[in-house]
Amino acid sequence: MTPALAFDLLLIAALLWSAARALITADVFRAVVLFIVFGLLMALAWARLGAPDIALAEAAIGAGLTGALLLDAVGHLRAKRREPEA
């Protein structure tokens, strides 16, 4: 087994693991973090497939911007839960 094939198989396994964990986890914050990890791994997969433009877009939009917006939404949800009811 060549090192490139071993890396690709490890990348596939990591993609499947992070996607499955993001879908089945009950904690919203953990799901968002796993979504960001999935996006970064997907960007790496696109780079390995020879599509650097798609890899850059996935990293910037998929993991970066969307991840930041989702983390902000989770922060707002947690703040709403902590507010005392009037």
Side-chain angles (χ1 to χ4, degrees):
M1 183 180 308
T2 65
L5 179 62
F7 180 75
D8 290 341
L9 290 174
L10 182 65
L11 182 59
I12 291 169
L15 277 166
L16 291 173
W17 177 83
S18 63
R21 292 292 298 174
L23 290 174
I24 65 173
T25 188
D27 183 28
V28 179
F29 179 76
R30 184 174 290 161
V32 170
V33 170
L34 285 167
F35 175 79
I36 294 169
V37 168
F38 177 80
L40 293 174
L41 289 171
M42 198 65 224
L44 185 58
W46 282 118
R48 291 282 301 146
L49 289 170
D53 51 344
I54 299 173
L56 184 60
E58 177 67 35
I61 298 167
L65 181 63
T66 306
L69 290 173
L70 286 172
L71 284 174
D72 185 51
V74 169
H76 283 287
L77 284 174
R78 288 188 175 174
K80 285 283 188 187
R81 287 185 192 157
R82 281 190 231 126
E83 286 180 2
E85 294 184 21

